[in-house]
Amino acid sequence: MNYKRLFDVLNACSMQRWAEILEPQLTDYFNNLNHGDYSRWKASIDNLPAIVPSQIILDSDSVQIGKAVDCPEGIAEELKQQLQVLMPWRKGPFNLFGCLIDTEWRSDLKWSRLEQHIKPLDDRMVLDIGCGNGYYGWRMLGNNARHIVGLDPTLLFYMQFSAIKKYIPEANIDLLPFGIQKLPDFKLNFDAVFSMGVIYHRRDPIEHVRQCLNCLKTGGELVLESLVIDDENIDALIPNDRYAKMNNVWAIPNTATMIDWVEQAGFQNARIIDVTQTTSDEQRQTEWMKFESLSDFLNKEDKSQTVEGYPAPTRAILLADKP
Ligand SMILES: C[S@@+](CC[C@H](N)C(=O)[O-])C[C@H]1O[C@@H](n2cnc3c(N)ncnc32)[C@H](O)[C@@H]1O
């Protein structure tokens, strides 16, 4: 991955100090990469057929790169085989030259719930913390953002992003294969920070929101999405062990607590713009994600509860401004 365009845009947006430390961080990361699947995943990306996309559509539900007719005879199957080496595909959908990557999540549904509420992204610098394979970043580019910087420590998601970006190398989007811990202590200058599906995995949620604040310029917008509980009597659900079979969920707030965390961290005008219970239309097993999914995480007799007896997954989206 070539990060030159990212460094250039960071320099142009008063974030040169970050660019300076990112360069050695990235070199160090890639020099020391010893994940057991890396060579296999890298080979699949290297072996992706060379096809030039005749169109790119980033403002539709599936991120579309090229058309089926761009694919020379016999190449479509090879493309699908290489992309399937990168399974499980969780966030999407993507459509590459007619090959629909039907991901576990219909991530477009969440995007459609928030798109009309956020500040326009035109010419905005956006940081997407815990961006997964970058699906939302492509949708932000479809909304004319200037540059998207995604942050995610899961190597497979970085490889999926790299596979997509191979067909649009000039796109103004980059993924840093790091967790939020690697963000600098000094202030950054983003117009918008997204943190979706991350806060309940963090042991100190207020500190997580403070880190988001530190990345924003004055007047910048936070988009925070979390699992929530619909219970006014407890501030947050602290699962004893697993929640919906996930073993790294620390605290699931109610919406009032979510607002409270964000205000305590220093944001203003915090408001919830959507609360939606997750359905099996939105999260399900597919040809591209063959492991267990939502229906396996719910009590078979009572779908309003998880298998552990907690309220079934419901998610809220909060917006707030940096004063
Ligand atoms: C539930 S997924 C959410 C993905 C995407 N933001 C969405 O809303 O669909 C949580 C993501 O956070 C990432 N993650 C886990 N620990 C993280 C950390 N310390 N910093 C940033 N991202 C992290 C995971 O790799 C995963 O992709």
Side-chain angles (χ1 to χ4, degrees):
M1 195 61 76
N2 181 346
Y3 286 98
K4 184 175 179 316
R5 289 166 71 88
L6 172 64
F7 298 144
D8 287 347
V9 75
L10 291 179
N11 287 332
C13 295
S14 310
M15 290 192 267
Q16 53 273 60
R17 218 176 139 196
W18 191 32
E20 277 164 24
I21 62 167
L22 263 181
E23 219 167 336
Q25 261 180 348
L26 286 161
T27 307
D28 184 55
Y29 176 86
F30 288 108
N31 285 344
N32 292 300
L33 200 53
N34 59 4
H35 191 293
D37 288 309
Y38 176 67
S39 310
R40 191 168 62 86
W41 291 336
K42 182 172 181 304
S44 85
I45 296 174
D46 291 343
N47 292 333
L48 282 170
I51 318 168
V52 179
S54 62
Q55 67 169 20
I56 289 162
I57 302 177
L58 302 178
D59 59 357
S60 72
D61 294 348
S62 69
V63 167
Q64 292 183 45
I65 318 283
K67 300 186 206 166
V69 292
D70 302 338
C71 232
E73 188 88 16
I75 295 296
E77 194 46 41
E78 189 188 330
L79 174 68
K80 184 173 178 183
Q81 273 173 18
Q82 298 302 343
L83 291 170
Q84 288 202 329
V85 174
L86 301 175
M87 292 203 305
W89 284 80
R90 296 199 181 270
K91 307 298 162 123
F94 295 91
N95 188 318
L96 270 73
F97 307 100
C99 174
L100 176 66
I101 304 180
D102 186 16
T103 47
E104 176 189 18
W105 283 84
R106 287 275 316 274
S107 308
D108 55 299
L109 298 179
K110 181 154 86 188
W111 186 252
S112 66
R113 292 197 287 271
L114 66 82
E115 188 179 18
Q116 74 268 28
H117 296 284
I118 59 174
K119 287 184 185 164
L121 291 176
D122 302 69
D123 205 31
R124 300 292 183 203
M125 288 293 292
V126 184
L127 179 66
D128 186 2
I129 297 171
C131 64
N133 65 19
Y135 170 83
Y136 292 108
W138 293 107
R139 299 302 307 274
M140 293 169 201
L141 268 191
N143 276 243
N144 306 314
R146 175 169 180 184
H147 205 106
I148 319 301
V149 184
L151 203 69
D152 203 292
T154 303
L155 182 63
L156 175 62
F157 303 154
Y158 172 82
M159 301 308 278
Q160 292 174 351
F161 171 78
S162 304
I164 307 285
K165 196 163 180 204
K166 186 167 177 177
Y167 290 106
I168 333 176
E170 300 302 307
N172 292 328
I173 177 168
D174 288 282
L175 197 158
L176 303 174
F178 306 140
I180 189 169
Q181 306 83 325
K182 286 269 171 74
L183 284 175
D185 293 336
F186 51 82
K187 286 192 173 26
L188 297 180
N189 207 24
F190 284 94
D191 298 291
V193 169
F194 286 69
S195 161
M196 303 197 291
V198 178
I199 194 166
Y200 48 85
H201 292 309
R202 306 297 299 155
R203 283 175 193 250
D204 185 343
I206 299 177
E207 178 54 24
H208 175 77
V209 184
R210 267 195 212 108
Q211 283 181 291
C212 296
L213 184 81
N214 202 41
C215 297
L216 279 167
K217 60 168 64 160
T218 301
E221 185 169 60
L222 170 71
V223 181
L224 180 69
E225 192 249 15
S226 179
L227 285 166
V228 287
I229 44 155
D230 181 18
D231 187 342
E232 287 171 9
N233 299 313
I234 50 168
D235 295 341
L237 168 70
I238 315 285
N240 281 328
D241 186 12
R242 292 178 174 240
Y243 172 83
K245 297 197 181 176
M246 286 185 278
N247 62 3
N248 54 354
V249 174
W250 297 101
I252 303 179
N254 62 26
T255 51
T257 301
M258 214 174 148
I259 290 176
D260 186 48
W261 286 348
V262 166
E263 287 178 344
Q264 276 196 56
F267 281 94
Q268 67 185 20
N269 195 21
R271 67 252 182 229
I272 301 287
I273 49 115
D274 182 76
V275 179
T276 298
Q277 185 166 345
T278 306
T279 68
S280 292
D281 290 333
E282 186 165 359
Q283 186 190 12
R284 72 276 191 258
Q285 195 184 66
T286 69
E287 186 193 351
W288 294 78
M289 200 302 289
K290 294 186 174 167
F291 299 115
E292 289 188 320
S293 191
L294 181 67
S295 63
D296 306 292
F297 308 150
L298 299 180
N299 181 335
K300 297 268 180 282
E301 270 79 56
D302 177 2
K303 300 233 181 294
S304 70
Q305 296 206 328
T306 66
V307 287
E308 300 87 3
Y310 296 122
T314 295
R315 311 182 79 94
I317 303 170
L318 173 151
L319 302 183
D321 304 320
K322 177 164 179 172

